[in-house]
Amino acid sequence: MESVGFFEGPEKLMEVWWQPVLEADRARADLRYISREKWSNLLTLVNCTIISEKRNEDMTAYLLSESSLFVSRTRVILKTCGQTALLYCIKPLLELAATECGLTEVQDFFYSRMNYLAPSLQPAPHQTFEQEVQWLDKLFSDGAGYALGRLNGQDTWYLYTLDNILPGVSEPDQTLEILMLDLDREVMNKFYKSKYSDADEVTKETGISEFLPGAVIDAALFEPCGYSANGLLDMLALGNNNVITPEWFPTMEHLRESYFNIHITPQPECSYVSFETNIKMSSYKELISRVLEAFKPGRFLMTLFANEGAPCGFSYKTFQEGSIAGYKRNDLQLSQMKMYNLTYGHYEKI
C-alpha cells in the first residue's frame, strides 16, 4: 500500500471517577444524561468530533474522529490520538459534571500515554510529559507523575494520578492495555479503504469480532486508511455465544460497565495498534493471545491496573501466566498506587 503520511497513533488516555452522591440525588447524578451536543461542544476543545454512538444499560460509547469516549453513571473515559489536546477539556469537564449532574468530588483520576513518535508535532502542553504534569498540577493539588519502561529505550509509558487521602475506587476494577508497534504489513494492509470499504467487513475478516464474541461493536474505517472500534459487552449476547465461563468471568455482575476499544494506524512509517479493555476476566491469557495473533506486532508494551477486588487478582499474576509465544520480555515493573497495583511489561518479537 502507498504511504499516506505520518499520523501520531499513540493516544492520550484519561479516566475520571466521581464520588457518588447521596441516594436522594442519584437521579440527577448520572453523566449519561448529559446530551450528545454538550459532549460535542466539550470535544471541540480537544480538536475531535463524535462520529457515532452505541448504548447499553450501563454505558454510552462514542466513537470519535480521534479515538473514543465512554460515559457511565459516575465515570468518563476519554482517549484521543493524533494532534489532539486532551488536557484542554479537563477543567471544563469537571465544571460540566458539577453543573449538569451535581458531581463535584473527584474520587480518582488517571492520565496516561506512551511516548509520542513525533513529540515536536504535538500542541502544548503535550510536547513533553513534564509539560503535561505542570498543567495537571494546576488542576489537582495532590497529583503524582510516574514513568515506567526504559528512559533510554523506545517505549516509555507515563502516568499521572492522584495521591490524596480520599477513598479511591473500591468496587472491583481492572484495565488492560496492549500498545503495539512495528506491525505486520500484510495485516496492516487490511485497514486501507482500497482493500475493504466497509468497517464491519474489516472487523470480521481480521478476527476482531472474535476477540469477545457477542460484543456490540461500533467500528469506522477512515479515508484513506485507519480503523477505530468501540465494543460494549452485552451480557445476553455473551451468554448465547458461550463466552461466559467461570474461567473468564467469575460472576455475571463482573460484566457490568465493560468495554473495549481498538485504534489502528497502519502506515508503514508509523504503524501502531492499541487495544484496551476493562472487562473483569479472571485470566487475560487467551484474550492477549487473540489480540497478538491478529496484529502480529514487532514489539509491544502491556499494562494492567487492578484494585483489591479485581477478579484478575494481583496485576503481576497476569505477567506470570507463562511466556508469550514468539516474544521475549525485556522489562517488567510493578507499582503500588493508593487503591491499585499496576504492572508494566515490554515485549519484543524473537
Side-chain angles (χ1 to χ4, degrees):
M1 297 288 178
E2 64 177 303
S3 174
V4 295
F6 176 83
F7 183 82
E8 188 70 66
E11 302 99 341
K12 311 161 181 80
L13 173 60
M14 177 188 70
E15 182 168 336
V16 190
W17 295 72
W18 280 265
Q19 185 74 36
V21 299
L22 296 174
E23 189 68 31
D25 298 322
R26 281 178 62 84
R28 178 190 174 211
D30 191 332
L31 295 162
R32 293 170 298 178
Y33 293 146
I34 296 176
S35 69
R36 175 167 169 165
E37 180 183 9
K38 285 185 169 66
W39 289 120
S40 294
N41 291 339
L42 184 76
L43 291 168
T44 60
L45 302 173
V46 180
N47 195 29
C48 62
T49 58
I50 294 173
I51 297 174
S52 58
E53 67 180 270
K54 295 286 187 182
R55 296 173 180 263
N56 63 15
E57 63 180 9
D58 296 317
M59 303 185 80
T60 302
Y62 295 100
L63 196 63
L64 308 182
S65 57
E66 280 82 7
S67 299
S68 302
L69 169 65
F70 294 91
V71 181
S72 55
R73 178 182 290 275
T74 57
R75 176 177 59 175
V76 167
I77 301 162
L78 175 60
K79 173 180 278 191
T80 67
C81 56
Q83 295 178 349
T84 51
L86 185 150
L87 296 184
Y88 287 5
C89 82
I90 298 177
K91 185 177 180 180
L93 170 62
L94 300 179
E95 293 170 350
L96 182 67
T99 301
E100 294 288 314
C101 307
L103 296 169
T104 58
E105 188 170 39
V106 173
Q107 186 178 32
D108 239 326
F109 176 88
F110 304 91
Y111 172 77
S112 65
R113 65 170 178 85
M114 68 171 290
N115 54 281
Y116 300 124
L117 303 178
S120 64
L121 298 181
Q122 290 294 312
H126 287 291
Q127 294 181 342
T128 68
F129 185 59
E130 290 75 15
Q131 286 181 1
E132 293 170 321
V133 168
Q134 290 172 8
W135 182 283
L136 289 164
D137 278 345
K138 294 176 182 178
L139 299 175
F140 302 102
S141 61
D142 44 19
Y146 302 88
L148 296 177
R150 302 185 190 189
L151 294 177
N152 61 346
Q154 292 178 296
D155 305 315
T156 310
W157 186 82
Y158 301 99
L159 169 70
Y160 184 97
T161 188
L162 302 186
D163 184 30
N164 56 27
I165 61 173
L166 295 174
V169 176
S170 58
E171 63 190 80
D173 186 51
Q174 58 194 64
T175 301
L176 174 76
E177 265 197 297
I178 308 174
L179 309 181
M180 297 163 271
L181 300 104
D182 297 340
L183 283 304
D184 182 89
R185 288 314 316 151
E186 185 175 344
V187 173
M188 290 296 97
N189 286 343
K190 297 176 182 179
F191 298 98
Y192 283 74
K193 271 205 167 180
S194 55
K195 180 71 174 179
Y196 297 108
S197 59
D198 181 79
D200 293 337
E201 185 180 9
V202 177
T203 302
K204 180 179 179 181
E205 293 297 323
T206 57
I208 291 172
S209 60
E210 296 305 309
F211 287 175
L212 291 163
V216 176
I217 297 176
D218 185 15
L221 185 62
F222 295 96
E223 179 70 49
C225 65
Y227 171 94
S228 287
N230 288 339
L232 290 178
L233 278 295
D234 182 291
M235 290 184 278
L236 177 61
L238 288 170
N240 291 339
N241 281 276
N242 298 316
V243 176
I244 297 177
T245 66
E247 292 77 21
W248 278 35
F249 308 110
T251 70
M252 290 284 284
E253 184 63 26
H254 286 140
L255 284 170
R256 299 195 68 86
E257 291 193 32
S258 293
Y259 70 88
F260 72 86
N261 61 59
I262 298 168
H263 303 290
I264 299 174
T265 301
Q267 295 94 305
E269 65 269 36
C270 52
S271 65
Y272 172 83
V273 174
S274 69
F275 174 85
E276 178 201 354
T277 185
N278 73 337
I279 190 166
K280 300 175 186 66
M281 291 179 163
S282 299
S283 171
Y284 284 116
K285 186 174 183 179
E286 185 176 343
L287 179 59
I288 291 169
S289 178
R290 292 181 185 183
V291 172
L292 296 178
E293 178 58 31
F295 299 118
K296 299 178 174 59
R299 69 184 202 271
F300 67 94
L301 66 88
M302 185 165 70
T303 64
L304 176 60
F305 275 98
N307 66 3
E308 186 174 343
C312 68
F314 201 64
S315 63
Y316 187 75
K317 179 174 70 72
T318 294
F319 294 75
Q320 293 180 306
E321 293 181 337
S323 60
I324 296 177
Y327 292 89
K328 65 175 182 177
R329 191 175 66 204
N330 295 325
D331 295 296
L332 182 64
Q333 293 172 270
L334 171 66
S335 298
Q336 184 68 50
M337 308 299 175
K338 181 178 64 175
M339 299 294 290
Y340 289 81
N341 54 84
L342 162 67
T343 303
Y344 162 102
H346 187 273
Y347 299 81
E348 186 177 4
K349 183 172 284 187
I350 299 173

